[in-house]
Amino acid sequence: MTEHETRHDTGRDLPAWCEPLLTRVRSARTEDFTRVPTPADGGRASAVLVLLGEQPEHGLDVLILQRAATLRTHAGQPAFPGGACDPDDVDAAATALREADEEVGLDPGSVTVLAQLPRLWIPVSDFVVTPVLAWWHRPHPVHPREPAEVAHVARLPIAELVDPANRVRVRHPSGWIGPAFQSRGMLVWGFTAGVLAALLEMAGWSRPWSQERVLDLPPTSPPPTPAVGTEEQPAELDKMAGPPLS
């Protein structure tokens, strides 16, 4: 599947919310997520799974995991399932689904891949990340398969993420400032929050919110590695952070 191409070969009727989002995603550019251009060559290929599902009690949601606090990198940080591509992975979708299975026990057969978003370069780590948008057509229980890597798994309701009361900005000790979400005891920030913020805007789900509320991350927080979602940054971080999301 090529970038932005959608899969409709499953024979399944897609939910009504899919088409408006897919229409916008098909024309999405790297610039919609970041001002940092993605190099044509180089960088370590990786993928993350942006998995949207539905539950009767709260409607549309997204699957987010929380990294274990003992990890050397990104300790305790919420993230999409995902990781580096393996040689046997046929495409970014295969990588994202394999990693989600390894991390939280996600059945790839329960997922309909909708689209691959633009490749996003994270200069500080030299990863080139492809977010894979998908619909969880047959949700099932998931849990951390490797507690040493994943501490918690949650389905965060979109209604909570777009609630202005749950939207904030966070300031890293380095000076980096970016969007964040508070939901179900999680503070989602960094790369994950940047991708979510852009997709909520593209889908037309975002609501006006005050950007005056800024939370300071603790000094022990990992350095920011996102290429997306940055709203302010000092000059020395200009090349490793992204733009404001309008």
Side-chain angles (χ1 to χ4, degrees):
M1 184 175 70
T2 58
E3 188 170 274
H4 308 145
E5 183 180 348
T6 58
R7 283 184 177 170
H8 297 288
D9 56 355
T10 62
R12 270 180 215 94
D13 292 330
L14 297 177
W17 55 261
C18 275
E19 193 51 44
L21 176 57
L22 288 177
T23 298
R24 177 63 181 87
V25 163
R26 290 186 190 108
S27 61
R29 306 167 302 160
T30 300
E31 293 78 9
D32 292 320
F33 295 87
T34 177
R35 68 164 169 267
V36 179
T38 301
D41 300 305
R44 188 177 181 189
S46 63
V48 295
L49 185 66
V50 185
L51 184 59
L52 300 176
E54 293 182 84
Q55 295 193 80
E57 60 268 29
H58 64 230
L60 196 62
D61 58 30
V62 61
L63 185 70
I64 299 291
L65 58 82
Q66 188 158 20
R67 302 291 182 193
T70 53
L71 291 177
R72 289 187 300 172
T73 59
H74 310 299
Q77 191 170 345
F80 298 118
C85 297
D86 280 355
D88 294 337
D89 294 336
V90 297
D91 58 12
T95 296
L97 291 171
R98 174 183 54 75
E99 286 283 341
D101 180 18
E102 294 174 359
E103 290 178 327
V104 303
L106 180 73
D107 175 11
S110 70
V111 174
T112 299
V113 172
L114 299 173
Q116 293 180 190
L117 305 182
R119 296 161 58 248
L120 305 173
W121 182 41
I122 302 178
V124 69
S125 60
D126 199 30
F127 272 89
V128 176
V129 184
T130 300
V132 176
L133 183 64
W135 168 42
W136 204 1
H137 64 259
R138 193 176 67 247
H140 61 85
V142 291
H143 62 279
R145 295 189 68 177
E146 294 290 343
E149 296 183 6
V150 178
H152 179 60
V153 187
R155 297 177 64 174
L156 303 186
I158 297 299
E160 291 185 12
L161 296 177
V162 300
D163 186 338
N166 295 329
R167 297 204 64 172
V168 299
R169 294 191 299 161
V170 294
R171 181 189 295 111
H172 189 269
S174 64
W176 175 90
I177 298 178
F181 300 86
Q182 294 177 311
S183 177
R184 306 291 166 110
M186 284 187 177
L187 176 65
V188 182
W189 63 284
F191 180 91
T192 304
V195 171
L196 278 175
L199 286 176
L200 293 175
E201 290 286 348
M202 291 179 187
W205 300 333
S206 186
R207 296 163 55 188
W209 58 285
S210 174
Q211 299 194 21
E212 295 180 0
R213 185 181 175 202
V214 180
L215 303 180
D216 287 319
L217 293 168
T220 55
S221 297
T225 59
V228 299
T230 298
E231 298 176 5
E232 300 175 17
Q233 61 282 323
E236 64 268 20
L237 294 179
D238 187 65
K239 293 183 179 180
M240 61 177 281
L245 297 173
S246 57

